Amino acid sequence: MARATAETTQTEGPLASAAPERAPARPPALRPKNAATLIILDHSGKVPTVLMGRRHHGHKFMPGKYVFPGGRIELEDRHMPVVGTLNDRAEAALAARVTRPPHHLGRALALAAIRETYEETGLMIGTRDYGPPETAPDGPWGAFREAGIIPDLEAVQFVARAITPPARPKRFDTRFFAVKRSAVAGETPGFVGPEAELTELAWVSFAEARKLDLPRITHIVLDELEARLAAGFSPFLPVPFFREVRGRHTREEL
């Protein structure tokens, strides 16, 4: 009994009255950066396939994962001439849930997806029907001009949007676009290899893609894309939007 009393006295002493230690404050969430991804889709045969690339194992971000090509908007993307436009439904969806969307946001995102696809795979999305663009920014877009190819936005469909959850070391507000394989107007070899950003490319069915080492969001977008195909792949279908709201993963429609 005395032992119990002693223990009680200890817990009620000065140490017990001290303020409890606070958990370390979580660092503020990084603001997501605008990014775009392009899904090249071949559904001309009995089994639709998509083009996926494997990221180099040396990358800090998603090493060794199979992904769709993509990346952030660059300044040059805002100055590249195009033919065609994104349809009004896509433009409205791209501007939805965006605070003060910049002018021509959808155009810049679609062009970022096309440029990143070229930089990572050597594939040029566009058309030769109108001849080369009269002008083109230096760098990757110059290769389009030399090849006589101009990006065609009419061929691009906006199919999904996802924001990286808070507390991640890198955060992106990614828009997923899709084009048919027939939109590939040219190809430059040598972009894929053991020391490149993508070490290999593969045309895979949806079932085969799900067996690969994929980021979680890629699994989700594949499911959405397959459902979109089953619904006729209309550019006027709602666009799913994935993000975390108050700690819960949500799916909205744009």
Side-chain angles (χ1 to χ4, degrees):
M1 195 67 160
R3 181 179 179 184
T5 302
E7 289 177 349
T8 303
T9 303
Q10 287 175 359
T11 58
E12 293 176 353
L15 291 177
S17 62
E21 292 186 9
R22 294 184 179 181
R26 293 177 64 181
L30 295 173
R31 183 176 180 178
K33 297 179 179 179
N34 284 323
T37 288
L38 190 65
I39 304 168
I40 305 178
L41 175 67
D42 187 350
H43 56 107
S44 60
K46 293 182 179 180
V47 179
T49 58
V50 292
L51 182 66
M52 306 204 72
R54 190 175 193 181
R55 287 177 60 81
H56 195 283
H57 282 282
H59 285 302
K60 292 182 179 179
F61 185 63
M62 296 192 297
K65 298 282 187 181
Y66 280 87
V67 297
F68 305 118
R72 293 186 295 174
I73 296 175
E74 301 290 349
L75 179 62
E76 293 79 8
D77 301 332
R78 302 183 186 277
H79 302 289
M80 180 62 186
V82 300
V83 296
T85 60
L86 297 170
N87 65 62
D88 291 343
R89 176 70 181 82
E91 289 283 10
L94 284 159
R97 312 288 200 282
V98 178
T99 303
R100 295 188 297 275
H103 190 52
H104 293 319
L105 173 64
R107 181 183 186 278
L109 286 163
L111 281 169
I114 291 171
R115 174 189 48 75
E116 286 283 345
T117 296
Y118 172 68
E119 289 185 323
E120 295 178 13
T121 70
L123 299 177
M124 297 181 180
I125 306 299
T127 178
R128 298 179 187 270
D129 292 347
Y130 304 94
E134 292 183 3
T135 61
D138 293 335
W141 289 123
F144 279 70
R145 187 173 187 276
E146 292 174 7
I149 296 170
I150 187 167
D152 182 4
L153 297 191
E154 193 170 340
V156 179
Q157 186 174 146
F158 179 38
V159 297
R161 178 183 174 190
I163 298 180
T164 311
R168 298 291 178 85
K170 289 187 178 183
R171 297 191 71 208
F172 298 100
D173 186 348
T174 304
R175 282 69 163 199
F176 293 79
F177 296 92
V179 296
K180 296 179 181 178
R181 188 172 185 171
S182 57
V184 178
E187 180 177 3
T188 303
F191 279 70
V192 179
E195 302 305 320
E197 185 168 351
L198 297 181
T199 58
E200 59 181 282
L201 293 176
W203 286 96
V204 291
S205 68
F206 287 87
E208 291 168 335
R210 291 186 179 98
K211 296 177 183 178
L212 299 174
D213 185 8
L214 306 177
R216 177 176 178 273
I217 188 58
T218 306
H219 273 286
I220 294 170
V221 171
L222 280 170
D223 291 342
E224 295 285 348
L225 186 63
E226 193 167 36
R228 200 174 189 88
L229 279 171
F233 205 61
S234 167
F236 299 101
L237 289 169
V239 176
F241 174 27
F242 303 95
R243 60 177 173 169
E244 187 176 299
V245 180
R246 290 186 286 276
R248 297 182 60 185
H249 295 291
T250 65
R251 180 193 185 279
E252 305 169 47
E253 289 188 346
L254 303 175

